[in-house]
């Protein structure tokens, strides 16, 4: 079944000092909405796109294009069939 049960992101933690330039959300369904929140619950990033190859790349910046600060973030992945996956990603700058 094509759902989001195995969806995750990598690298996690994300460390630009190791050469990381993007975070990849993988094992996605055909159309995906990704939202990222800081630990206070503020929405810092969102994107909704067709993801036929099952991946969505994110440069770890907020909706204004500014790099997110080091910290722990919560992601919520949903698709148009109401599947949902939540997880955490750490950014270490």
């Amino acid at each position: 079944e094509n759902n989001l049960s195995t969806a995750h992101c990598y690298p996690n933690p994300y460390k630009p000092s190791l050469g990381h330039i993007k975070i990849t959300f993988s094992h996605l369904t055909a159309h995906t909405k990704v939202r990222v929140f800081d630990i206070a619950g503020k929405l810092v990033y969102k994107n909704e796109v067709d993801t036929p190859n099952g991946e969505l790349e994110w440069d770890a910046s907020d909706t204004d294009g500014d790099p997110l600060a080091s910290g722990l973030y919560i992601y919520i992945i949903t698709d148009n069939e109401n599947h949902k996956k939540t997880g955490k990603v750490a950014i270490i700058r």
Side-chain angles (χ1 to χ4, degrees):
E1 185 181 337
N2 195 9
N3 59 37
L4 295 171
S5 62
T6 59
H8 64 282
C9 70
Y10 65 90
N12 191 2
Y14 170 78
K15 293 183 178 180
S17 63
L18 295 181
H20 299 160
I21 56 171
K22 64 186 179 248
I23 295 171
T24 301
F25 292 92
S26 66
H27 294 88
L28 305 176
T29 53
H31 184 89
T32 310
K33 181 178 182 179
V34 173
R35 289 173 294 161
V36 180
F37 300 86
D38 65 18
I39 55 171
K42 178 187 172 201
L43 178 67
V44 295
Y45 172 80
K46 67 179 177 181
N47 194 0
E48 183 171 359
V49 291
D50 288 328
T51 44
N53 66 349
E55 292 192 343
L56 183 153
E57 293 180 348
W58 173 46
D59 63 0
S61 63
D62 65 17
T63 51
D64 295 325
D66 297 320
L68 286 173
S70 293
L72 190 62
Y73 295 86
I74 311 298
Y75 63 82
I76 301 176
I77 303 169
T78 51
D79 66 15
N80 52 5
E81 296 177 18
N82 294 317
H83 298 126
K84 181 177 175 180
K85 178 70 180 276
T86 61
K88 296 176 182 158
V89 59
I91 295 176
I92 301 172
R93 294 205 183 270

